[in-house]
Short mmCIF file of all heavy atoms in Angstrom, two decimals:
data_model
loop_
_atom_site.label_atom_id
_atom_site.label_comp_id
_atom_site.label_asym_id
_atom_site.label_seq_id
_atom_site.Cartn_x
_atom_site.Cartn_y
_atom_site.Cartn_z
N LEU A 35 14.70 13.31 17.22
CA LEU A 35 15.07 13.52 18.61
C LEU A 35 16.58 13.73 18.68
O LEU A 35 17.36 12.90 18.20
CB LEU A 35 14.69 12.38 19.48
CG LEU A 35 15.13 12.41 20.95
CD1 LEU A 35 14.46 13.53 21.66
CD2 LEU A 35 14.86 11.08 21.67
N ALA A 36 16.99 14.85 19.22
CA ALA A 36 18.43 15.10 19.40
C ALA A 36 18.83 14.91 20.84
O ALA A 36 18.26 15.49 21.74
CB ALA A 36 18.72 16.54 18.93
N LEU A 37 19.78 14.05 21.07
CA LEU A 37 20.32 13.78 22.37
C LEU A 37 21.75 14.35 22.42
O LEU A 37 22.61 13.92 21.71
CB LEU A 37 20.34 12.30 22.72
CG LEU A 37 18.93 11.62 22.77
CD1 LEU A 37 19.14 10.15 23.12
CD2 LEU A 37 18.05 12.34 23.78
N THR A 38 21.94 15.30 23.30
CA THR A 38 23.29 15.89 23.49
C THR A 38 23.86 15.50 24.85
O THR A 38 23.22 15.69 25.90
CB THR A 38 23.22 17.45 23.36
OG1 THR A 38 22.68 17.75 22.04
CG2 THR A 38 24.57 18.07 23.56
N ALA A 39 25.10 15.00 24.84
CA ALA A 39 25.74 14.57 26.06
C ALA A 39 26.64 15.75 26.59
O ALA A 39 27.25 16.46 25.85
CB ALA A 39 26.65 13.34 25.77
N THR A 40 26.63 15.84 27.97
CA THR A 40 27.56 16.78 28.60
C THR A 40 28.21 15.96 29.74
O THR A 40 27.84 14.88 30.07
CB THR A 40 26.78 17.96 29.22
OG1 THR A 40 25.79 17.48 30.15
CG2 THR A 40 26.11 18.75 28.12
N ASN A 41 29.25 16.57 30.38
CA ASN A 41 29.89 15.90 31.49
C ASN A 41 30.33 16.95 32.55
O ASN A 41 30.37 18.13 32.25
CB ASN A 41 31.07 15.06 31.06
CG ASN A 41 32.22 15.93 30.56
OD1 ASN A 41 32.99 16.47 31.39
ND2 ASN A 41 32.37 16.15 29.25
N SER A 42 30.49 16.45 33.74
CA SER A 42 30.78 17.33 34.89
C SER A 42 32.31 17.34 35.22
O SER A 42 32.65 17.94 36.22
CB SER A 42 30.01 16.91 36.09
OG SER A 42 30.34 15.52 36.47
N GLN A 43 33.14 16.74 34.40
CA GLN A 43 34.54 16.63 34.70
C GLN A 43 35.44 17.57 33.94
O GLN A 43 36.64 17.59 34.11
CB GLN A 43 35.03 15.19 34.49
CG GLN A 43 34.21 14.13 35.25
CD GLN A 43 34.31 14.32 36.74
OE1 GLN A 43 35.35 14.53 37.27
NE2 GLN A 43 33.13 14.24 37.41
N GLY A 44 34.83 18.39 33.03
CA GLY A 44 35.64 19.34 32.30
C GLY A 44 36.26 18.78 31.03
O GLY A 44 37.01 19.55 30.37
N TYR A 45 35.95 17.58 30.68
CA TYR A 45 36.54 17.00 29.44
C TYR A 45 35.74 17.46 28.27
O TYR A 45 34.52 17.78 28.37
CB TYR A 45 36.56 15.51 29.53
CG TYR A 45 37.44 14.91 30.62
CD1 TYR A 45 36.87 14.42 31.81
CD2 TYR A 45 38.79 14.89 30.45
CE1 TYR A 45 37.66 13.93 32.77
CE2 TYR A 45 39.62 14.37 31.49
CZ TYR A 45 39.04 13.89 32.64
OH TYR A 45 39.81 13.43 33.69
N THR A 46 36.37 17.51 27.11
CA THR A 46 35.66 17.89 25.94
C THR A 46 35.44 16.70 24.98
O THR A 46 36.25 15.71 24.98
CB THR A 46 36.44 18.97 25.11
OG1 THR A 46 37.75 18.41 24.78
CG2 THR A 46 36.62 20.22 25.94
N PHE A 47 34.36 16.73 24.23
CA PHE A 47 34.09 15.69 23.26
C PHE A 47 34.73 15.97 21.96
O PHE A 47 35.12 17.13 21.65
CB PHE A 47 32.57 15.64 23.00
CG PHE A 47 31.74 15.09 24.16
CD1 PHE A 47 31.22 15.91 25.15
CD2 PHE A 47 31.55 13.69 24.30
CE1 PHE A 47 30.47 15.44 26.18
CE2 PHE A 47 30.81 13.21 25.37
CZ PHE A 47 30.31 14.07 26.28
N ARG A 48 34.98 14.92 21.23
CA ARG A 48 35.53 15.15 19.87
C ARG A 48 34.53 15.96 19.11
O ARG A 48 33.29 15.73 19.23
CB ARG A 48 35.71 13.73 19.14
CG ARG A 48 36.40 13.86 17.83
CD ARG A 48 36.77 12.51 17.26
NE ARG A 48 35.56 11.75 16.92
CZ ARG A 48 35.21 10.62 17.57
NH1 ARG A 48 35.93 10.18 18.58
NH2 ARG A 48 34.09 9.98 17.20
N PRO A 49 34.89 16.89 18.22
CA PRO A 49 33.98 17.77 17.53
C PRO A 49 32.89 16.94 16.76
O PRO A 49 33.29 16.02 16.04
CB PRO A 49 34.84 18.55 16.59
CG PRO A 49 36.17 18.60 17.27
CD PRO A 49 36.32 17.26 17.98
N GLY A 50 31.67 17.31 16.93
CA GLY A 50 30.60 16.60 16.26
C GLY A 50 30.10 15.34 16.87
O GLY A 50 29.21 14.69 16.35
N SER A 51 30.73 14.91 18.02
CA SER A 51 30.36 13.59 18.57
C SER A 51 29.52 13.67 19.84
O SER A 51 29.14 12.66 20.43
CB SER A 51 31.65 12.83 18.86
OG SER A 51 32.44 13.49 19.88
N SER A 52 29.16 14.92 20.29
CA SER A 52 28.43 15.02 21.53
C SER A 52 26.90 14.92 21.34
O SER A 52 26.18 14.79 22.28
CB SER A 52 28.77 16.33 22.24
OG SER A 52 28.44 17.43 21.42
N THR A 53 26.46 15.02 20.08
CA THR A 53 25.02 15.00 19.78
C THR A 53 24.69 13.84 18.83
O THR A 53 25.37 13.64 17.85
CB THR A 53 24.52 16.32 19.16
OG1 THR A 53 24.75 17.36 20.06
CG2 THR A 53 23.04 16.23 18.87
N ILE A 54 23.65 13.09 19.22
CA ILE A 54 23.18 11.98 18.37
C ILE A 54 21.73 12.30 17.94
O ILE A 54 20.94 12.69 18.80
CB ILE A 54 23.21 10.66 19.13
CG1 ILE A 54 24.62 10.29 19.56
CG2 ILE A 54 22.61 9.48 18.28
CD1 ILE A 54 24.76 9.05 20.44
N LEU A 55 21.46 12.11 16.67
CA LEU A 55 20.13 12.40 16.14
C LEU A 55 19.42 11.05 15.88
O LEU A 55 19.92 10.20 15.17
CB LEU A 55 20.20 13.19 14.82
CG LEU A 55 20.86 14.59 14.94
CD1 LEU A 55 20.92 15.23 13.56
CD2 LEU A 55 20.09 15.49 15.90
N TYR A 56 18.22 10.96 16.40
CA TYR A 56 17.38 9.78 16.16
C TYR A 56 16.20 10.20 15.29
O TYR A 56 15.47 11.17 15.61
CB TYR A 56 16.79 9.20 17.48
CG TYR A 56 17.83 8.52 18.35
CD1 TYR A 56 18.53 9.26 19.28
CD2 TYR A 56 18.13 7.19 18.19
CE1 TYR A 56 19.48 8.64 20.06
CE2 TYR A 56 19.10 6.58 18.95
CZ TYR A 56 19.77 7.28 19.88
OH TYR A 56 20.70 6.71 20.69
N TYR A 57 16.03 9.51 14.13
CA TYR A 57 15.00 9.89 13.18
C TYR A 57 13.97 8.76 13.07
O TYR A 57 14.35 7.61 12.97
CB TYR A 57 15.64 10.12 11.84
CG TYR A 57 14.68 10.30 10.65
CD1 TYR A 57 13.99 11.51 10.56
CD2 TYR A 57 14.51 9.33 9.69
CE1 TYR A 57 13.08 11.70 9.51
CE2 TYR A 57 13.66 9.52 8.65
CZ TYR A 57 12.90 10.70 8.54
OH TYR A 57 12.06 10.88 7.50
N ALA A 58 12.71 9.16 13.13
CA ALA A 58 11.68 8.17 13.02
C ALA A 58 10.58 8.68 12.10
O ALA A 58 10.06 9.76 12.23
CB ALA A 58 11.00 7.89 14.42
N ALA A 59 10.25 7.87 11.07
CA ALA A 59 9.20 8.22 10.05
C ALA A 59 8.58 6.91 9.55
O ALA A 59 9.24 5.92 9.50
CB ALA A 59 9.73 9.02 8.98
N VAL A 60 7.31 7.02 9.25
CA VAL A 60 6.59 5.88 8.69
C VAL A 60 6.80 5.89 7.13
O VAL A 60 6.66 6.90 6.54
CB VAL A 60 5.09 5.94 8.99
CG1 VAL A 60 4.32 4.86 8.28
CG2 VAL A 60 4.88 5.83 10.50
N VAL A 61 7.19 4.80 6.59
CA VAL A 61 7.45 4.65 5.18
C VAL A 61 6.34 3.82 4.54
O VAL A 61 6.04 2.67 4.93
CB VAL A 61 8.81 3.96 4.94
CG1 VAL A 61 9.02 3.81 3.43
CG2 VAL A 61 9.98 4.76 5.55
N GLU A 62 5.66 4.45 3.57
CA GLU A 62 4.61 3.72 2.88
C GLU A 62 5.23 2.75 1.85
O GLU A 62 6.15 3.12 1.16
CB GLU A 62 3.73 4.70 2.13
CG GLU A 62 2.87 5.55 3.03
CD GLU A 62 2.07 6.58 2.24
OE1 GLU A 62 2.62 7.36 1.52
OE2 GLU A 62 0.84 6.58 2.40
N GLU A 63 4.71 1.58 1.77
CA GLU A 63 5.19 0.55 0.81
C GLU A 63 4.09 -0.40 0.51
O GLU A 63 3.09 -0.54 1.33
CB GLU A 63 6.43 -0.15 1.35
CG GLU A 63 6.23 -0.88 2.61
CD GLU A 63 7.53 -1.49 3.14
OE1 GLU A 63 8.52 -1.27 2.55
OE2 GLU A 63 7.46 -2.12 4.19
N PRO A 64 4.12 -1.11 -0.62
CA PRO A 64 3.11 -2.11 -0.92
C PRO A 64 3.13 -3.25 0.12
O PRO A 64 4.18 -3.76 0.46
CB PRO A 64 3.52 -2.61 -2.33
CG PRO A 64 4.31 -1.50 -2.93
CD PRO A 64 5.11 -0.95 -1.74
N HIS A 65 1.92 -3.65 0.53
CA HIS A 65 1.79 -4.78 1.45
C HIS A 65 2.08 -6.08 0.72
O HIS A 65 1.84 -6.25 -0.47
CB HIS A 65 0.37 -4.83 2.02
CG HIS A 65 0.16 -3.81 3.10
ND1 HIS A 65 0.71 -3.86 4.37
CD2 HIS A 65 -0.58 -2.65 3.06
CE1 HIS A 65 0.35 -2.84 5.06
NE2 HIS A 65 -0.49 -2.10 4.31
N ALA A 66 2.59 -7.08 1.50
CA ALA A 66 2.83 -8.41 0.93
C ALA A 66 1.45 -9.06 0.64
O ALA A 66 0.45 -8.77 1.25
CB ALA A 66 3.57 -9.28 1.95
N LYS A 67 1.46 -9.98 -0.38
CA LYS A 67 0.24 -10.54 -0.91
C LYS A 67 0.03 -12.06 -0.56
O LYS A 67 -0.85 -12.71 -1.13
CB LYS A 67 0.11 -10.32 -2.40
CG LYS A 67 0.23 -8.89 -2.82
CD LYS A 67 0.18 -8.74 -4.32
CE LYS A 67 0.36 -7.33 -4.77
NZ LYS A 67 0.29 -7.17 -6.22
N SER A 68 0.90 -12.54 0.32
CA SER A 68 0.88 -14.03 0.47
C SER A 68 -0.43 -14.59 1.01
O SER A 68 -0.72 -15.75 0.76
CB SER A 68 2.06 -14.39 1.47
OG SER A 68 1.90 -13.73 2.72
N LYS A 69 -1.20 -13.80 1.71
CA LYS A 69 -2.50 -14.26 2.26
C LYS A 69 -3.64 -13.83 1.44
O LYS A 69 -4.81 -14.12 1.79
CB LYS A 69 -2.62 -13.75 3.70
CG LYS A 69 -1.54 -14.21 4.65
CD LYS A 69 -1.81 -13.68 6.07
CE LYS A 69 -0.72 -14.16 7.06
NZ LYS A 69 -0.95 -13.62 8.43
N TRP A 70 -3.43 -13.15 0.38
CA TRP A 70 -4.51 -12.56 -0.39
C TRP A 70 -5.23 -13.59 -1.26
O TRP A 70 -4.62 -14.60 -1.75
CB TRP A 70 -4.01 -11.44 -1.32
CG TRP A 70 -3.56 -10.27 -0.63
CD1 TRP A 70 -3.23 -10.12 0.69
CD2 TRP A 70 -3.30 -8.98 -1.24
NE1 TRP A 70 -2.80 -8.82 0.97
CE2 TRP A 70 -2.82 -8.11 -0.22
CE3 TRP A 70 -3.34 -8.46 -2.51
CZ2 TRP A 70 -2.45 -6.79 -0.48
CZ3 TRP A 70 -3.01 -7.19 -2.77
CH2 TRP A 70 -2.58 -6.32 -1.78
N THR A 71 -6.53 -13.40 -1.52
CA THR A 71 -7.32 -14.19 -2.47
C THR A 71 -8.16 -13.17 -3.28
O THR A 71 -8.45 -12.07 -2.79
CB THR A 71 -8.23 -15.22 -1.80
OG1 THR A 71 -9.06 -14.52 -0.86
CG2 THR A 71 -7.43 -16.26 -1.12
N ALA A 72 -8.51 -13.58 -4.53
CA ALA A 72 -9.22 -12.66 -5.41
C ALA A 72 -10.48 -13.31 -5.97
O ALA A 72 -10.39 -14.57 -6.28
CB ALA A 72 -8.31 -12.19 -6.51
N LYS A 73 -11.52 -12.58 -6.12
CA LYS A 73 -12.71 -13.01 -6.85
C LYS A 73 -13.09 -11.93 -7.81
O LYS A 73 -12.78 -10.73 -7.68
CB LYS A 73 -13.92 -13.16 -5.85
CG LYS A 73 -13.70 -14.25 -4.80
CD LYS A 73 -15.01 -14.56 -4.08
CE LYS A 73 -15.54 -13.30 -3.35
NZ LYS A 73 -16.78 -13.64 -2.52
N VAL A 74 -13.70 -12.35 -8.98
CA VAL A 74 -14.06 -11.39 -10.03
C VAL A 74 -15.50 -11.70 -10.55
O VAL A 74 -16.05 -12.78 -10.23
CB VAL A 74 -13.05 -11.49 -11.21
CG1 VAL A 74 -11.71 -11.02 -10.79
CG2 VAL A 74 -13.04 -12.88 -11.77
N SER A 75 -16.03 -10.76 -11.26
CA SER A 75 -17.43 -10.89 -11.72
C SER A 75 -17.55 -11.98 -12.72
O SER A 75 -18.48 -12.80 -12.67
CB SER A 75 -17.92 -9.57 -12.33
OG SER A 75 -16.96 -9.10 -13.28
N THR A 76 -16.71 -12.05 -13.72
CA THR A 76 -16.76 -13.09 -14.76
C THR A 76 -15.32 -13.39 -15.20
O THR A 76 -14.42 -12.53 -15.04
CB THR A 76 -17.56 -12.64 -15.97
OG1 THR A 76 -17.09 -11.41 -16.43
CG2 THR A 76 -19.06 -12.58 -15.59
N ILE A 77 -15.11 -14.53 -15.86
CA ILE A 77 -13.78 -14.96 -16.27
C ILE A 77 -13.84 -15.44 -17.72
O ILE A 77 -14.71 -16.23 -18.05
CB ILE A 77 -13.23 -16.08 -15.38
CG1 ILE A 77 -13.23 -15.63 -13.90
CG2 ILE A 77 -11.85 -16.50 -15.84
CD1 ILE A 77 -12.90 -16.74 -12.97
N HIS A 78 -12.87 -15.04 -18.52
CA HIS A 78 -12.79 -15.59 -19.85
C HIS A 78 -12.08 -16.95 -19.77
O HIS A 78 -10.95 -17.05 -19.21
CB HIS A 78 -11.99 -14.67 -20.74
CG HIS A 78 -11.80 -15.20 -22.15
ND1 HIS A 78 -12.82 -15.15 -23.04
CD2 HIS A 78 -10.71 -15.74 -22.74
CE1 HIS A 78 -12.39 -15.69 -24.16
NE2 HIS A 78 -11.13 -16.06 -24.03
N THR A 79 -12.74 -17.99 -20.23
CA THR A 79 -12.19 -19.29 -20.04
C THR A 79 -11.79 -20.03 -21.37
O THR A 79 -11.26 -21.10 -21.36
CB THR A 79 -13.26 -20.21 -19.39
OG1 THR A 79 -14.43 -20.24 -20.22
CG2 THR A 79 -13.58 -19.73 -18.01
N GLY A 80 -11.90 -19.30 -22.49
CA GLY A 80 -11.63 -19.89 -23.76
C GLY A 80 -10.12 -20.07 -24.03
O GLY A 80 -9.73 -20.91 -24.84
N GLU A 81 -9.28 -19.37 -23.29
CA GLU A 81 -7.84 -19.49 -23.45
C GLU A 81 -7.21 -19.45 -22.09
O GLU A 81 -7.89 -19.39 -21.08
CB GLU A 81 -7.31 -18.31 -24.32
CG GLU A 81 -7.98 -18.17 -25.71
CD GLU A 81 -7.65 -16.80 -26.32
OE1 GLU A 81 -6.49 -16.45 -26.39
OE2 GLU A 81 -8.63 -16.12 -26.75
N SER A 82 -5.94 -19.53 -22.02
CA SER A 82 -5.24 -19.58 -20.72
C SER A 82 -5.06 -18.17 -20.13
O SER A 82 -3.92 -17.77 -19.78
CB SER A 82 -3.89 -20.26 -20.85
OG SER A 82 -3.10 -19.60 -21.85
N ILE A 83 -6.11 -17.38 -20.19
CA ILE A 83 -6.08 -16.05 -19.61
C ILE A 83 -7.37 -15.91 -18.75
O ILE A 83 -8.26 -16.68 -18.87
CB ILE A 83 -5.97 -14.96 -20.65
CG1 ILE A 83 -7.21 -14.98 -21.57
CG2 ILE A 83 -4.72 -15.03 -21.43
CD1 ILE A 83 -7.30 -13.80 -22.51
N GLY A 84 -7.35 -14.87 -17.95
CA GLY A 84 -8.61 -14.55 -17.27
C GLY A 84 -8.71 -14.89 -15.84
O GLY A 84 -9.67 -14.50 -15.15
N THR A 85 -7.73 -15.59 -15.25
CA THR A 85 -7.85 -16.08 -13.89
C THR A 85 -7.78 -14.89 -12.92
O THR A 85 -6.94 -13.96 -13.06
CB THR A 85 -6.80 -17.05 -13.55
OG1 THR A 85 -5.49 -16.44 -13.75
CG2 THR A 85 -6.86 -18.29 -14.43
N PRO A 86 -8.62 -14.91 -11.85
CA PRO A 86 -8.57 -13.76 -10.93
C PRO A 86 -7.25 -13.68 -10.19
O PRO A 86 -6.87 -12.59 -9.76
CB PRO A 86 -9.76 -14.06 -9.97
CG PRO A 86 -10.06 -15.46 -10.17
CD PRO A 86 -9.69 -15.78 -11.58
N GLY A 87 -6.59 -14.84 -9.95
CA GLY A 87 -5.33 -14.79 -9.21
C GLY A 87 -4.23 -14.01 -9.90
O GLY A 87 -3.22 -13.67 -9.28
N ALA A 88 -4.43 -13.72 -11.18
CA ALA A 88 -3.41 -12.93 -11.94
C ALA A 88 -3.27 -11.52 -11.43
O ALA A 88 -2.23 -10.92 -11.54
CB ALA A 88 -3.74 -12.91 -13.41
N ILE A 89 -4.31 -11.00 -10.80
CA ILE A 89 -4.28 -9.60 -10.33
C ILE A 89 -3.56 -9.44 -8.98
O ILE A 89 -3.31 -8.34 -8.53
CB ILE A 89 -5.65 -9.01 -10.27
CG1 ILE A 89 -6.50 -9.61 -9.19
CG2 ILE A 89 -6.33 -9.05 -11.62
CD1 ILE A 89 -7.84 -8.93 -9.01
N ILE A 90 -3.11 -10.59 -8.37
CA ILE A 90 -2.45 -10.46 -7.08
C ILE A 90 -1.20 -11.38 -7.07
O ILE A 90 -0.66 -11.67 -6.00
CB ILE A 90 -3.35 -10.89 -5.91
CG1 ILE A 90 -3.95 -12.29 -6.12
CG2 ILE A 90 -4.47 -9.84 -5.74
CD1 ILE A 90 -4.73 -12.83 -4.90
N ASP A 91 -0.68 -11.74 -8.24
CA ASP A 91 0.46 -12.63 -8.32
C ASP A 91 1.82 -11.92 -8.39
O ASP A 91 2.87 -12.53 -8.48
CB ASP A 91 0.32 -13.68 -9.47
CG ASP A 91 0.36 -12.96 -10.82
OD1 ASP A 91 0.46 -11.71 -10.90
OD2 ASP A 91 0.26 -13.63 -11.83
N GLY A 92 1.77 -10.58 -8.38
CA GLY A 92 3.02 -9.80 -8.45
C GLY A 92 3.66 -9.81 -9.75
O GLY A 92 4.76 -9.27 -9.98
N ASN A 93 2.94 -10.23 -10.80
CA ASN A 93 3.50 -10.30 -12.18
C ASN A 93 2.59 -9.48 -13.09
O ASN A 93 1.43 -9.88 -13.37
CB ASN A 93 3.54 -11.78 -12.60
CG ASN A 93 4.16 -11.95 -14.03
OD1 ASN A 93 4.43 -10.96 -14.70
ND2 ASN A 93 4.31 -13.19 -14.45
N ILE A 94 3.13 -8.37 -13.57
CA ILE A 94 2.27 -7.46 -14.41
C ILE A 94 2.08 -8.02 -15.82
O ILE A 94 1.28 -7.39 -16.62
CB ILE A 94 2.83 -6.05 -14.46
CG1 ILE A 94 4.26 -6.03 -15.11
CG2 ILE A 94 2.87 -5.46 -13.06
CD1 ILE A 94 4.77 -4.63 -15.34
N THR A 95 2.71 -9.10 -16.19
CA THR A 95 2.54 -9.64 -17.53
C THR A 95 1.35 -10.64 -17.57
O THR A 95 0.87 -10.99 -18.61
CB THR A 95 3.76 -10.35 -18.04
OG1 THR A 95 4.04 -11.50 -17.27
CG2 THR A 95 5.01 -9.44 -18.03
N THR A 96 0.84 -11.03 -16.41
CA THR A 96 -0.37 -11.83 -16.37
C THR A 96 -1.53 -10.95 -16.10
O THR A 96 -1.37 -9.82 -15.52
CB THR A 96 -0.28 -12.91 -15.27
OG1 THR A 96 -0.16 -12.28 -13.97
CG2 THR A 96 0.96 -13.82 -15.53
N PHE A 97 -2.71 -11.33 -16.49
CA PHE A 97 -3.92 -10.44 -16.28
C PHE A 97 -5.16 -11.29 -16.17
O PHE A 97 -5.32 -12.34 -16.74
CB PHE A 97 -3.98 -9.40 -17.38
CG PHE A 97 -3.95 -9.94 -18.73
CD1 PHE A 97 -5.09 -10.36 -19.43
CD2 PHE A 97 -2.71 -10.14 -19.45
CE1 PHE A 97 -5.06 -10.86 -20.74
CE2 PHE A 97 -2.68 -10.64 -20.74
CZ PHE A 97 -3.86 -11.01 -21.36
#
Side-chain angles (χ1 to χ4, degrees):
L35 172 66
L37 296 181
T38 299
T40 59
N41 69 81
S42 60
Q43 304 300 314
Y45 297 103
T46 58
F47 290 92
R48 186 173 67 248
S51 64
S52 62
T53 299
I54 299 174
L55 298 177
Y56 290 90
Y57 172 72
V60 174
V61 178
E62 293 177 302
E63 58 185 4
H65 284 288
K67 304 178 183 181
S68 59
K69 298 180 181 180
W70 293 15
T71 56
K73 297 191 300 184
V74 294
S75 50
T76 54
I77 303 170
H78 179 75
T79 58
E81 305 166 52
S82 58
I83 61 173
T85 58
I89 67 174
I90 56 171
D91 64 358
N93 182 356
I94 62 173
T95 66
T96 62
F97 53 89

